[in-house]
């Protein structure tokens, strides 16, 4: 058999464009194939009948603007050889009868040498509506540009003599006619929007448009692959792929780009949903050991001895999880609940059910402080039952002797519940019959770390991941249907609301002294205080210092520096201060937390190491310095450390920014709600979705090109339904070869390996 013919989208741009043009596109835009250029969409469209408002321009901004030329003058330079052309432009439209037309397809000159037909009005525009552009070595500009022309200029906004200007901008004259050709072949020049592409200083938007036009006119787009099957395209009234490419790059009116984006968004959602649907089919076919509830077992005794009543949410979620782990299909569930909503208790009851059925459970915690806290809390909660269950902890700081015994208990099955940090992921840890993995604060672990623990002989295990504020990726995966979701939406009895306030020291410098007076008042009332700062020492910022957000250049507060300052304040004289940070070894951290829990520390100055799991019921006040440097999830977690023992809590978000600062909306949002999903939605809006199919957690580089999980949820839901029905009917996608090809490209082993491990 001969080789398969090359698809149009696989063709090199060198085979379609002039070699120098193709080389420039590869160098400046990193695009090398026809498909890559076709998928390089405009970022916006300029209405041809409107001019760009100069009032909207800002210094240093890269812009593409449409304006009308008032005059062109050329003069010799006094200080060096050459000449300068000064082009005066306005953002006011010409009198009735002037038309703006089609963008020039070449580099700078007027299309076909035709001049615009507009005329300069006799009444001059107001000064604020006029800008003077400068062109050095000006022969070309003075030849191409004339009064009355409508021109698209591209360049960086700079300043000269107090006025905004563009220097040597790239330009393309808009004319009142289209390219040569049969009447009606071209879009109406009076209404066709002008695409503006993501461009560079050396490869401007009109040059990109010209190259795209050549591709559209040369390549037979009907031969391109179209992942959307015809029946789905017809059902949803979508464009074909060739129609969509034409409409996105050369729209005839302002509606066409929207129709094209409907196709491209649905196509993207369908491909991703089909990847997930095929993986879900694989997971559904997998089998693991079931762990049904046993009457009279440890969990039933535990429930009977609880000194309080489970909340309705804890009972409902507990039943969902109990049903999941009773089945042979592996559970893959997200448990979301605000800090203090009782997630750990729900997880403990599930782990006890597994122990009753002869299995083991592992709880992964991101820090030693949290792992140790979970260990002690579970021992206290179980009481005498702990001996029957067998509870061990394993961290990097566990002593050699204790580690040997823990590993033996894990391997023999004597340990029914194993709590640990990343140390549990080591090759030397071998479980006898691992049945359930609980991942606490799941965003602290990479995808493969979360899925590295497996049962005997690699058998999949049931998984429960817990978080108080889902990170953007988790919200995205929830919308995309990869995880079953349980929500704890009520606080247990005894938990108090925490009032949160933003304190701007820029607006109110005197409030800094009041901060420490408030701390003293809490201490005098017999309560305890957390003070959180983003760094350890004056010369050592931590990785959490910016929380994924841009930070200003002012120095950060540090544990060491602030502790020295507080020790010297008369307002805090006699208070017992302590510090806690990530550089301390496990024994030091444990000693500090033991003193804090015993009430022997009044004010604990710490980094975000206390973010999760720390339970000090007597703590009623938290002061977070440089709060603008921390992310939404971190702030939400931190304030959950107070108000845990029946005392009302107060959290103060302290910032050096003024009320108009860039981080203020984020801080005010945290202050206004305790709802974790609301905050994660805001986080998602600001940080994007992350890599839907891969390992990326930060969200700064979204794998989604045209989709937003917030704005396009209906499209995603429709694509999910279509993909599941399609895969159920045709698991191998024999009837949809183009979709299969796209699925293989999107869901290669490197990106979706973890989905097999669910």
């Amino acid at each position: 058999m001969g080789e398969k013919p090359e698809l149009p989208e696989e063709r090199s741009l060198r085979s379609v464009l002039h070699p120098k043009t193709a080389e420039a596109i590869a160098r400046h835009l990193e695009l090398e194939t026809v498909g890559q250029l076709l998928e390089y969409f405009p970022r916006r469209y300029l209405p041809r009948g409107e001019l760009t408002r100069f009032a909207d321009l800002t210094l240093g901004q890269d812009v593409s603007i449409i304006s009308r030329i008032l005059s062109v003058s050329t003069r010799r330079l006094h200080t060096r050889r050459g000449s300068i052309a000064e082009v005066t432009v306005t953002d006011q439209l010409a009198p009735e009868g002037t038309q703006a037309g089609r963008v020039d397809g070449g580099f700078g000159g007027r299309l076909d040498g035709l001049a615009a037909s507009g005329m300069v009005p006799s009444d001059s525009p107001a000064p604020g509506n006029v800008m003077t552009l400068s062109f050095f070595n000006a022969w070309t500009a003075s030849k191409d540009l004339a009064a009355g022309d409508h021109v698209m200029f591209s360049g960086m906004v700079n300043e000269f003599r107090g006025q905004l200007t563009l220097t040597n901008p790239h330009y393309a004259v808009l004319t009142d006619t289209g390219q040569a050709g049969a009447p009606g072949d071209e879009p109406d020049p009076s209404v066709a929007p002008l695409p503006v592409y993501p461009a560079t200083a050396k490869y401007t938007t009109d040059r990109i448009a010209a190259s795209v036009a050549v591709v559209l006119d040369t390549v037979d787009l009907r031969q391109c692959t179209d992942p959307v099957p015809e029946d789905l395209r017809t059902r949803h009234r979508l464009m074909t792929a060739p129609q969509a490419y034409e409409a996105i790059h050369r729209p005839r009116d302002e509606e066409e780009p929207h129709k094209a984006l409907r196709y491209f968004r649905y196509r993207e959602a369908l491909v991703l949903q089909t990847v997930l649907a095929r993986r879900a089919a694989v997971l559904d076919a997998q089998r693991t050991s079931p762990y049904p509830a046993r009457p009279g077992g440890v969990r039933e005794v535990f429930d009977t001895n609880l000194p309080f009543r489970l909340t309705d949410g804890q009972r409902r979620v507990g039943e969902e999880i109990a049903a999941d782990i009773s089945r042979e299909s592996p559970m893959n569930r997200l448990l979301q609940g605000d800090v203090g909503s009782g997630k750990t208790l729900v997880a403990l009851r599930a782990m006890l059910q597994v122990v009753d059925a002869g299995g083991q459970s592992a709880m992964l915690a991101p820090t030693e402080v949290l792992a140790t806290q979970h260990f002690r809390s579970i021992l206290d909660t179980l009481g005498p039952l702990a001996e029957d269950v067998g509870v061990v902890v394993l961290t990097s700081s566990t002593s050699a002797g204790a580690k040997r015994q823990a590993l033996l208990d894990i391997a023999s099955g004597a340990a029914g519940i194993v709590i640990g940090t990343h140390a549990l992921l080591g090759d030397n840890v071998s479980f006898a019959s691992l049945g359930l993995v609980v991942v606490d604060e799941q965003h602290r672990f990479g995808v493969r770390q979360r899925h590295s623990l497996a049962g005997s002989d690699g058998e999949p295990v049931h998984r429960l991941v817990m978080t108080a504020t889902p990170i953007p990726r988790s919200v995205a995966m929830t919308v995309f249907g990869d995880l079953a979701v349980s929500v704890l939406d009520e606080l247990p009895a005894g938990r108090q609301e925490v009032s949160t306030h933003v304190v701007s020291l820029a607006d109110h410098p005197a409030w800094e002294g009041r901060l420490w007076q408030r701390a003293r008042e809490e201490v005098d009332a017999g309560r305890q205080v957390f003070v959180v700062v983003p760094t350890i020492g004056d010369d050592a910022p931590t990785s959490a210092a910016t929380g994924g957000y841009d930070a200003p250049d002012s120095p950060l507060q540090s544990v060491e520096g602030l502790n020295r300052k507080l020790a010297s304040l008369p307002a805090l004289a006699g208070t017992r201060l302590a510090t806690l940070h990530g550089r301390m070894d496990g024994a030091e951290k444990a000693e500090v937390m033991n003193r804090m829990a015993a009430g022997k520390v009044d004010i604990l100055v710490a980094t975000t190491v206390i973010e999760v799991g720390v339970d000090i019921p007597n703590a009623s006040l938290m002061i977070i310095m440089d709060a603008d440097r921390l992310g939404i999830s971190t702030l939400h977690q931190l304030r959950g450390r107070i108000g845990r023992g029946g005392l009302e809590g107060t959290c103060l978000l302290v910032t050096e920014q003024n009320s108009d600062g860039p981080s203020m909306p984020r801080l005010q949002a945290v202050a206004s709600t305790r709802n974790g999903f609301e905050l994660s939605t805001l986080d998602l809006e600001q940080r994007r979705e992350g890599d839907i199919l891969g390992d990326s957690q930060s969200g700064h580089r979204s794998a989604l090109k045209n989709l937003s999980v917030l704005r396009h949820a209906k499209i995603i839901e429709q694509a999910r339904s279509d993909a599941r029905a399609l895969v159920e009917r045709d698991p191998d996608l024999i009837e949809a070869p183009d979709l299969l090809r796209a699925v293989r490209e999107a869901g290669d082993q490197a990106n979706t390996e973890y989905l097999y491990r669910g």
Side-chain angles (χ1 to χ4, degrees):
M1 295 178 62
E3 294 184 2
K4 290 184 179 180
E6 185 179 43
L7 292 168
E9 60 263 38
E10 295 175 339
R11 290 179 60 181
S12 169
L13 287 174
R14 293 176 179 272
S15 69
V16 181
L17 303 176
H18 189 282
K20 289 187 177 180
T21 301
E23 181 183 346
I25 291 176
R27 183 169 64 253
H28 297 299
L29 305 179
E30 298 182 354
L31 307 175
E32 297 185 352
T33 67
V34 165
Q36 289 172 345
L37 183 58
L38 289 174
E39 294 291 327
Y40 195 76
F41 295 163
R43 57 185 172 88
R44 63 190 177 101
Y45 298 85
L46 295 177
R48 289 178 186 266
E50 300 178 14
L51 303 186
T52 308
R53 277 169 35 95
F54 294 167
D56 295 335
L57 304 181
T58 58
L59 195 63
Q61 180 184 18
D62 280 311
V63 297
S64 292
I65 63 173
I66 297 178
S67 58
R68 180 171 58 88
I69 295 179
L70 293 177
S71 65
V72 179
S73 62
T74 304
R75 58 180 172 83
R76 304 291 299 177
L77 292 169
H78 297 298
T79 56
R80 56 189 171 100
R81 295 180 60 185
S83 60
I84 181 172
E86 294 180 328
V87 180
T88 304
V89 298
T90 178
D91 60 2
Q92 292 186 340
L93 289 170
E96 188 175 351
T98 298
Q99 280 190 318
R102 184 178 173 79
V103 67
D104 175 7
F107 183 80
R110 192 171 323 163
L111 181 64
D112 293 334
L114 296 173
S117 61
M119 50 187 286
V120 182
S122 57
D123 51 329
S124 298
N129 301 109
V130 174
M131 184 163 55
T132 299
L133 316 181
S134 300
F135 293 84
F136 294 92
N137 295 321
W139 184 83
T140 302
S142 61
K143 175 180 69 72
D144 291 335
L145 304 177
D149 281 352
H150 284 66
V151 183
M152 181 174 69
F153 295 99
S154 300
M156 178 178 289
V157 180
N158 50 64
E159 190 175 31
F160 180 69
R161 294 181 177 175
Q163 301 296 320
L164 295 182
T165 184
L166 304 178
T167 303
N168 289 331
H170 185 81
Y171 60 88
V173 178
L174 309 181
T175 68
D176 61 347
T177 63
Q179 286 179 309
D185 284 352
E186 293 300 321
D188 181 349
S190 65
V191 297
L194 188 66
V196 178
Y197 291 87
T200 68
K202 294 187 177 181
Y203 211 84
T204 54
T205 179
D206 59 300
R207 296 182 69 186
I208 299 171
S211 297
V212 171
V214 172
V215 169
L216 292 175
D217 292 337
T218 305
V219 176
D220 185 359
L221 299 183
R222 294 171 299 177
Q223 302 302 316
C224 289
T225 57
D226 188 347
V228 181
E230 185 176 357
D231 61 327
L232 293 179
R233 191 173 63 245
T234 302
R235 183 191 311 167
H236 299 308
R237 299 180 180 179
L238 299 171
M239 290 179 164
T240 64
Q243 291 170 337
Y245 283 129
E246 186 73 34
I248 201 77
H249 291 293
R250 286 198 303 211
R252 294 175 177 271
D253 55 50
E254 63 181 17
E255 291 300 319
E256 281 204 335
H258 299 292
K259 294 176 182 177
L261 280 173
R262 275 193 68 235
Y263 165 82
F264 288 117
R265 285 169 181 153
Y266 178 82
R267 182 190 70 177
E268 185 173 0
L270 181 66
V271 170
L272 288 172
Q273 287 295 342
T274 305
V275 171
L276 293 174
R278 297 184 84 204
R279 299 299 181 258
V282 172
L283 293 176
D284 288 344
Q286 288 184 334
R287 290 294 176 263
T288 189
S289 300
Y291 297 93
R294 181 167 67 86
V298 176
R299 198 194 77 174
E300 190 172 292
V301 174
F302 174 77
D303 287 349
T304 301
N305 293 335
L306 277 176
F308 51 83
R309 180 180 175 276
L310 294 173
T311 67
D312 292 341
Q314 287 174 321
R315 194 172 298 280
R316 181 191 71 252
V317 171
E319 290 172 357
E320 292 172 351
I321 296 171
D324 278 355
I325 60 180
S326 298
R327 301 188 184 102
E328 292 184 349
S329 296
M331 176 180 71
N332 193 22
R333 184 171 290 274
L334 169 68
L335 175 56
Q336 195 274 345
D338 273 332
V339 285
S341 58
K343 298 184 296 297
T344 304
L345 180 62
V346 169
L348 176 57
R349 295 180 69 241
M351 291 190 287
L352 292 177
Q353 179 173 326
V354 172
V355 170
D356 278 338
Q360 295 171 290
S361 296
M363 175 178 273
L364 269 175
T367 66
E368 290 187 13
V369 169
L370 181 54
T372 304
Q373 178 105 19
H374 276 320
F375 176 62
R376 290 175 178 158
S377 174
I378 287 175
L379 286 180
D380 292 343
T381 304
L382 288 175
L385 291 175
E387 195 168 324
D388 298 329
V389 172
V391 184
V392 301
V393 63
L394 186 65
T395 71
S396 57
S397 295
T398 303
S399 65
K403 185 175 293 185
R404 279 194 299 271
Q405 186 60 53
L407 291 173
L408 286 173
D409 290 343
I410 294 170
S412 68
I417 294 178
V418 182
I419 302 162
T421 56
H422 296 75
L424 281 183
L425 307 177
D427 294 336
N428 60 335
V429 181
S430 176
F431 285 84
S433 55
L434 182 61
L436 171 65
V437 174
V438 178
V439 183
D440 197 11
E441 296 312 323
Q442 52 97 18
H443 64 284
R444 298 295 194 89
F445 294 90
V447 172
R448 287 182 173 82
Q449 287 178 321
R450 287 181 241 152
H451 291 268
S452 60
L453 287 175
S456 56
D457 299 325
E459 179 183 81
V461 296
H462 299 287
R463 264 173 230 290
L464 179 67
V465 294
M466 305 192 301
T467 185
T469 303
I471 58 168
R473 180 201 153 89
S474 294
V475 181
M477 292 302 288
T478 298
V479 175
F480 277 95
D482 183 61
L483 298 170
V485 181
S486 295
V487 180
L488 290 175
D489 51 9
E490 57 185 310
L491 295 178
R495 286 302 305 261
Q496 297 294 323
E497 287 294 326
V498 175
S499 60
T500 306
H501 308 276
V502 180
V503 178
S504 170
L505 297 183
D507 289 341
H508 305 281
W511 284 4
E512 183 175 7
R514 177 61 185 146
L515 289 174
W516 313 122
Q517 291 174 358
R518 281 287 291 113
R520 183 64 194 234
E521 290 166 6
E522 294 299 311
V523 172
D524 288 346
R527 300 164 187 167
Q528 292 165 284
V529 178
F530 287 112
V531 179
V532 181
V533 292
T535 64
I536 297 171
D538 299 333
D539 60 343
T542 66
S543 60
T546 61
Y549 296 90
D550 292 335
D553 295 329
S554 57
L556 294 168
Q557 295 275 7
S558 69
V559 170
E560 296 169 356
L562 189 59
N563 185 58
R564 290 193 299 268
K565 177 178 178 178
L566 298 186
S568 68
L569 290 178
L572 297 179
T575 59
R576 296 168 294 179
L577 297 168
T579 60
L580 185 70
H581 55 74
R583 282 185 184 171
M584 300 165 64
D585 63 34
E588 287 180 296
K589 294 176 186 174
E591 191 270 336
V592 170
M593 289 310 302
N594 287 338
R595 287 168 52 210
M596 187 75 176
K600 297 179 180 179
V601 174
D602 297 318
I603 300 175
L604 180 63
V605 183
T607 60
T608 56
V609 69
I610 65 163
E611 176 183 347
V612 289
V614 173
D615 189 7
I616 306 296
N618 194 43
S620 57
L621 174 65
M622 174 169 287
I623 300 172
I624 305 178
M625 307 300 293
D626 293 313
D628 52 283
R629 311 297 184 97
L630 303 175
I632 289 173
S633 174
T634 298
L635 293 172
H636 184 55
Q637 292 278 11
L638 285 168
R639 69 172 164 194
R641 301 310 104 210
I642 57 176
R644 302 177 71 89
L647 299 174
E648 290 187 3
T650 300
C651 179
L652 303 178
L653 307 178
V654 184
T655 175
E656 297 284 350
Q657 293 188 12
N658 58 33
S659 56
D660 296 327
S663 297
M664 278 300 183
R666 186 173 80 250
L667 298 182
Q668 294 292 356
V670 174
S672 67
T673 181
R674 286 280 307 273
N675 186 293
F677 265 117
E678 286 183 18
L679 291 174
S680 67
T681 298
L682 176 63
D683 209 6
L684 180 60
E685 289 174 342
Q686 296 183 351
R687 299 174 65 186
R688 294 299 308 273
E689 296 86 352
D691 184 357
I692 296 299
L693 296 180
D695 286 331
S696 172
Q697 295 291 321
S698 71
H700 286 299
R701 294 184 62 185
S702 175
L704 302 182
K705 291 182 61 179
N706 306 301
L707 278 173
S708 162
V709 297
L710 296 179
R711 295 191 301 273
H712 307 127
K714 289 184 179 179
I715 294 176
I716 293 167
E717 181 62 37
Q718 183 61 65
R720 179 196 303 172
S721 176
D722 292 341
R724 289 179 177 177
L726 195 155
V727 170
E728 184 176 350
R729 182 180 72 248
D730 181 15
D732 296 324
L733 301 181
I734 295 173
E735 299 174 6
D738 285 358
L739 178 58
L740 177 61
R741 178 187 178 89
V743 163
R744 284 173 171 167
E745 290 176 357
D748 60 58
Q749 186 70 13
N751 280 339
T752 58
E753 182 182 10
Y754 79 96
L755 287 172
Y756 282 110
R757 305 181 180 181

